[in-house]
Amino acid sequence: MQSPHQILGPSQPSRRSLLLGAGATALTAAAATAASTTTAAATTSAGATTSAGGATSATAAGAGAAGIGAAGVGAATAAVPSPDTLPLTGGPDFPIGLFWPPHPYASTAQRFAEIKNAGFDFIISGNYAGDGNIFQYQLGLARDAGLKMLISDDIQIRNMSRWFSISDTPTDFLSVTPAEASALYIRARDAYGPYSSLAGFNFYDEPGAGWFATLAKALSISRELAPQLLPYINLLPSDDATYYRNFVDVVQPSLISFDRYPLLSEGREDANYFHNWAIVRDAALHGDIPAWVYIQTLAYNNHREPTAAELLWQVNISLAYGAKGIQYFTYWTPEAARGEGFGPALITVDGKRTSRYDAAKRINTEWLHQVGRELKPLVSESAVHANETPLPNGAVGFTPTNLVSAISGDSVVVGTFRSRDAASGDRWVLVANRSHSAPARAVVAVNDQTVGSVGVFQPARQTYVSQRVGPVQVSLDAGAAKLIKLAAK
């Protein structure tokens, strides 16, 4: 059979028609319609960054920069909705999600109920579910189980945000025009939008900074055509604050999510885990958007299999640093053919539960949902380490405040939170065990001149139990945490 590369000549379909697929004619018509009905709600002059800084994947950043060509951030962009109005980021419930769900053959009502029973709220699709019919089937399962889904790997979304840049110049290499990108998005929106379980789309996993300009345009298109859906992007681990700041400034995302897995082989910790969290926290506060993080559930290259305490430790350290969403990497175990040495996750390759499934279920249903509901509406004021010498890279040591005069005892990580009501002097203090292998005891000394009442959160009762205004004794199992409310006089 003759190669299509040998038979295509000047009179054959254009490169753009081929790239846009078999539906190019319909797409062109849809693009024209989208272009004629598009209205801009906001204007931005932000330019694209040209450096990935210290991002882990320099090649990804370079490829992204090459793909953008002459395109910059569009002059006209849709209004950025408040995260409070979107699925998962909005509402009172703390979002708990998973990556790598059951593969298509294992996608059953029983399996999706198993996910829900473990305290998960949403699924990020994957595990070889790349077909529109499979996505629709899984959306139906998710709806029936009471779960939300973020769709990854839909070909329309990938074409508008990952494989091709969005450029106003049709001759740019490997690009689509904004109108064509809009038509691609309409295809995806109309295919999956009828399902109430659709939370939004995963536009790109771990982009280099060179892709930020195109992602800004993609998110603007999403917000214009489906403002009720959450546009999701997960970032690389990086020790470069510029990477995250530029993402917030250029892309104007609805949240900032990143992955960094701190539990290394031979009992070691990633020395820059806290540094990465500190700069992501700063970027989230800069953009006034939620910060999400992935936690490690399995062993893989140079990383160890977490214990139940280490799962809890990752969750609580993240909460102390201001996390407003937790995602598990992974739920189902990736098979050996992927080549990264993956060990068993929450569910094995052949569908059996591991001890980490049970541990995650306890964490999610007995602690994270309850404490997360308390912390979600609050603003992270500080994240500090007490009684730890030397401090990890990027960590800040505790200094007294007007409400907390001292923290003594074992090493703890302390997150302090305030109400969005600037008139409120109340503070919430999450004290997390710095150790994931040993219990800890600490004493939080409060200032009785400024603190009117002290309450210790009881997750089982979902309430605060009052105690006298004085030192708060904190006893923590490995990886555990305690939430204290300090009401100002």
Side-chain angles (χ1 to χ4, degrees):
M1 182 176 179
Q2 192 174 24
S3 166
H5 297 288
Q6 295 174 325
I7 63 173
L8 290 178
S11 62
Q12 299 299 323
S14 69
R15 174 185 61 81
R16 171 163 270 94
S17 295
L18 291 171
L19 292 177
L20 294 173
T25 302
L27 179 62
T28 301
T33 301
S36 66
T37 58
T38 295
T39 56
T43 300
T44 178
S45 59
T49 179
T50 58
S51 171
T56 297
S57 175
T59 55
I68 287 177
V73 177
T77 58
V80 179
S82 166
D84 294 341
T85 66
L86 296 171
L88 304 179
T89 56
D93 293 329
F94 188 93
I96 307 174
L98 61 87
F99 182 79
W100 216 246
H103 56 76
Y105 288 118
S107 291
T108 64
Q110 293 75 17
R111 285 296 187 186
F112 276 57
E114 185 175 47
I115 292 169
K116 181 66 175 180
N117 290 339
F120 290 98
D121 304 301
F122 72 96
I123 292 169
I124 302 171
S125 69
N127 202 355
Y128 304 105
D131 176 89
N133 292 322
I134 296 173
F135 289 144
Q136 290 177 333
Y137 177 67
Q138 290 182 330
L139 283 164
L141 293 175
R143 176 198 58 211
D144 295 344
L147 295 163
K148 294 288 188 180
M149 282 190 68
L150 291 168
I151 297 295
S152 296
D153 299 332
D154 175 74
I155 190 63
Q156 318 300 337
I157 301 299
R158 285 215 158 193
N159 280 345
M160 70 175 287
S161 64
R162 185 178 181 113
W163 300 135
F164 311 121
S165 64
I166 301 175
S167 171
D168 295 299
T169 306
T171 56
D172 278 352
F173 180 65
L174 290 179
S175 68
V176 294
T177 67
E180 290 166 339
S182 295
L184 288 166
Y185 186 83
I186 288 170
R187 282 182 178 179
R189 180 202 65 187
D190 291 352
Y192 312 122
Y195 292 87
S196 59
S197 51
L198 178 66
F201 294 101
N202 181 2
F203 281 82
Y204 204 124
D205 185 51
E206 297 185 330
W211 275 107
F212 289 174
T214 276
L215 290 172
K217 290 183 177 182
L219 263 61
S220 181
I221 288 167
S222 168
R223 287 161 173 157
E224 189 167 354
L225 297 175
Q228 77 282 6
L229 296 180
L230 175 66
Y232 173 90
I233 298 165
N234 177 64
L235 297 178
L236 289 157
S238 176
D239 298 313
D240 177 25
T242 303
Y243 172 64
Y244 299 103
R245 274 292 188 110
N246 284 347
F247 174 72
V248 170
D249 289 339
V250 175
V251 180
Q252 298 185 49
S254 296
L255 61 90
I256 183 167
S257 173
F258 80 110
D259 54 71
R260 187 159 193 153
Y261 306 117
L263 304 172
L264 306 182
S265 58
E266 300 173 349
R268 297 171 298 130
E269 282 183 10
D270 183 333
N272 286 325
Y273 180 64
F274 295 107
H275 180 237
N276 204 155
W277 239 127
I279 59 180
V280 169
R281 174 182 172 274
D282 177 77
L285 292 172
H286 169 70
D288 192 22
I289 54 176
W292 288 10
V293 69
Y294 281 89
I295 69 165
Q296 172 187 341
T297 69
L298 75 178
Y300 69 101
N301 291 348
N302 201 37
H303 291 72
R304 68 179 181 270
E305 180 177 284
T307 65
E310 287 172 335
L311 290 180
L312 181 60
W313 179 83
Q314 292 178 81
V315 166
N316 284 326
I317 293 298
S318 299
L319 292 177
Y321 271 81
K324 303 298 185 183
I326 294 290
Q327 304 155 102
Y328 285 70
F329 177 88
T330 62
Y331 179 77
W332 203 274
T333 302
E335 73 289 347
R338 298 195 67 84
E340 295 185 63
F342 289 112
L346 304 190
I347 306 291
T348 65
V349 172
D350 56 356
K352 295 181 174 61
R353 297 180 186 179
T354 70
S355 61
R356 283 169 300 290
Y357 173 89
D358 297 319
K361 180 178 180 179
R362 287 193 301 273
I363 293 168
N364 295 344
T365 61
E366 298 176 13
W367 169 250
L368 183 51
H369 268 302
Q370 292 86 345
V371 75
R373 194 179 179 97
E374 298 296 311
L375 295 175
K376 187 178 182 182
L378 304 177
V379 179
S380 175
E381 188 170 65
S382 66
V384 300
H385 292 230
N387 312 318
E388 184 172 7
T389 305
L391 287 170
N393 183 35
V396 175
F398 169 79
T399 55
T401 69
N402 68 319
L403 299 180
V404 178
S405 56
I407 301 176
S408 58
D410 295 321
S411 178
V412 290
V413 180
V414 181
T416 301
F417 303 85
R418 63 173 175 83
S419 168
R420 286 194 172 272
D421 179 1
S424 173
D426 297 347
R427 293 295 183 269
W428 288 256
V429 179
L430 184 79
V431 183
N433 191 344
R434 173 64 179 86
S435 175
H436 41 62
S437 60
R441 292 181 180 276
V443 178
V444 178
V446 301
N447 185 347
D448 59 12
Q449 300 300 308
T450 57
V451 175
S453 65
V454 175
V456 178
F457 184 64
Q458 300 295 320
R461 299 168 57 187
Q462 298 186 50
T463 189
Y464 293 88
V465 175
S466 296
Q467 70 161 63
R468 67 179 180 82
V469 177
V472 182
Q473 305 285 337
V474 179
S475 180
L476 302 170
D477 292 334
K482 183 161 289 191
L483 179 62
I484 305 164
K485 182 178 180 181
L486 304 177
K489 280 187 175 179

